[in-house]
Amino acid sequence: MSDTLVPEKVVIIGSGPAGWSAAIYAARAELQPLLFEGAITEENRLSGTLPLGQLALTTEVENYAGFPTGNLAGFLDSSIDKQRRQIMAPHEGRGVSGPELMELMKQQALNFGTRVMTDDIVKVDFSQRPFTLTSLEGKTTQAHTVIIATGARANYLGLESEETFKNMGVSACAVCDGALPRFREKQLVVVGGGDSAVEEADFLTKFAAKVLLVHRRDELRASKIMRQRAVDNEKIEIVWNHQLAEVLGNEQDGVTGARLKSTLDDSEQQVDVTGVFLAIGHTPNTGFLDGQLQTNDKGYVVLPTASRTYTSVEGVYSAGDVSDDYYRQAITSAGAGCMAALDAERYLAAKGL
Ligand code: NAP
């Protein structure tokens, strides 16, 4: 499995919908895939790159085909390995949640024989075949084909004060942190105007007294249904044409306020809040590739051939958010993961590997 003499046929890096779907297809094609699901480290927790990816940080998934609203509790109990099921959050009976969907996909991949390493790939060498991959734990793996499915992570504005108060009221994941006592019955800020920002703001109103949705323009980017959700929620107030300029606080209390700057003039306002949530888009997790695959100006892996998952290196495929800055949906990622496994399978067959 690691430090191998015999190269792996398929190594999959990433454990979101693309990674697990690729694993299901590769395993059923008897390619014995090895999947690196990511390491459980504090750094990964802070950057939102823990195993099971971004969906593990969301709530209900209402748009993944095949999972209408209903009580899935019995299905989850009977399909997921008992030990893992015990440590999952209880099912709340409103259809499938992001973490549940990911656990179901993982289980399906395991059922067909996928081997899973709880480790990050931190270095790749695509200049020689078989390819060489090095993990955070220092293990090396050789592979004839590699599927990159490492997804993307939440962006921050890059303010010094954001960094200072991470873990003390600044977060990019309402679902992970929203229920903490410091946010309950308090006023909070969410920055952004897309679907994520509205989703986070809406979720936070379960706990918060009020959520200020701070958007830099006078129109939300979010879809119509999500825009309506923001308008309908009495606990959400949209602060139009403003940008977060500084997170205010102190060492003892963490976040105590925010300085908001107008994007139309030089005016500023200060608001008392105990939390600041960023929901301003994502960055693909491609740093470990160190320039060995072609990426675009935003860092996304480029797929040069239409309707294929081929990257700039033959035998290396890419699927999901890491190579998609346009659709970015669980279901499109899953479809792309399937395509990547089929592409790898055909390559291996053509090469007689
Ligand atoms: P997004 O659609 O790219 O929206 C990012 C938002 O952040 C935009 O409103 C943008 O403002 C703002 N922003 C970006 N950089 C900023 C900066 N430096 N300062 C202030 N504001 C900044 O990203 P997303 O909301 O994460 O959504 C990503 C994808 O996932 C989308 O396809 C979305 O539909 C999907 N998604 C769907 C759901 C759902 O259906 N329930 C939930 C979450 C995400 P501007 O508008 O001015 O550019």
Side-chain angles (χ1 to χ4, degrees), residues 72-333:
L72 278 171
F75 179 52
L76 292 166
D77 291 345
S78 63
S79 57
I80 293 177
D81 169 76
K82 279 198 173 44
Q83 260 184 333
R84 290 212 329 279
R85 181 75 190 109
Q86 272 168 6
I87 53 170
M88 285 169 65
H91 178 71
E92 288 180 4
R94 290 171 59 188
V96 77
S97 73
E100 289 167 354
L101 187 58
M102 286 302 91
E103 289 286 358
L104 286 166
M105 287 192 191
K106 176 173 180 173
Q107 187 66 53
Q108 203 170 347
L110 289 170
N111 290 351
F112 293 118
T114 303
R115 291 159 301 144
V116 177
M117 302 286 279
T118 307
D119 198 357
D120 277 332
I121 292 298
V122 292
K123 196 172 148 210
V124 297
D125 182 356
F126 293 151
S127 65
Q128 286 182 24
R129 291 164 200 276
F131 306 126
T132 303
L133 310 172
T134 308
S135 82
L136 185 66
E137 291 179 6
K139 292 180 179 147
T140 57
T141 302
Q142 296 210 305
H144 291 304
T145 67
V146 177
I147 296 174
I148 312 288
T150 43
R153 64 182 183 281
N155 288 342
Y156 287 85
L157 287 168
L159 303 171
E160 207 181 307
S161 55
E162 247 176 1
E163 203 56 43
T164 308
F165 294 110
K166 264 189 194 171
N167 259 350
M168 294 174 73
V170 171
S171 167
C173 181
V175 177
C176 322
D177 302 327
L180 294 173
R182 66 168 301 116
F183 302 126
R184 286 180 185 257
E185 294 307 321
K186 300 284 175 16
Q187 181 164 260
L188 309 174
V189 155
V190 171
V191 184
D195 280 331
S196 299
V198 175
E199 192 174 64
E200 302 247 316
D202 190 50
F203 177 78
L204 286 169
T205 59
K206 287 188 189 186
F207 316 103
K210 189 171 176 187
V211 175
L212 304 174
L213 182 59
V214 177
H215 185 37
R216 62 183 176 182
R217 293 188 293 132
D218 61 359
E219 191 190 1
L220 293 177
R221 178 179 294 279
S223 56
K224 201 172 164 195
I225 185 170
M226 295 300 276
R227 287 203 301 264
Q228 196 56 43
R229 198 171 288 186
V231 170
D232 289 346
N233 189 327
E234 286 175 359
K235 285 185 169 182
I236 296 179
E237 182 190 329
I238 306 179
V239 183
W240 301 108
N241 299 311
H242 274 76
Q243 176 68 290
L244 175 71
E246 189 185 1
V247 182
L248 307 169
N250 58 59
E251 217 169 288
Q252 199 190 329
D253 304 318
V255 174
T256 57
R259 192 160 57 82
L260 308 178
K261 197 174 175 333
S262 166
T263 52
L264 301 178
D265 53 40
D266 284 341
S267 65
E268 286 191 355
Q269 55 173 295
Q270 204 164 304
V271 289
D272 291 338
V273 293
T274 61
V276 172
F277 290 80
L278 283 304
I280 57 166
H282 295 85
T283 298
N285 297 315
T286 47
F288 71 102
L289 295 171
D290 199 21
Q292 294 195 48
L293 292 184
Q294 191 191 343
T295 52
N296 70 14
D297 56 349
K298 292 190 218 152
Y300 287 84
V301 173
V302 171
L303 305 179
T305 313
S307 304
R308 299 286 182 273
T309 65
Y310 308 164
T311 67
S312 54
V313 174
E314 197 186 15
V316 180
Y317 306 93
S318 181
D321 283 11
V322 71
S323 42
D324 172 20
D325 64 353
Y326 187 72
Y327 294 108
R328 297 185 291 187
Q329 301 299 305
I331 199 149
T332 51
S333 294

Side-chain angles (χ1 to χ4, degrees), residues 7-40:
E8 300 287 340
K9 288 188 172 166
V10 182
V11 168
I12 299 161
I13 313 173
S15 55
W20 294 122
S21 300
I24 292 164
Y25 271 77
R28 286 175 56 80
E30 300 192 337
L31 299 176
Q32 297 90 35
L34 174 63
L35 183 146
F36 284 83
E37 68 173 351
I40 301 172

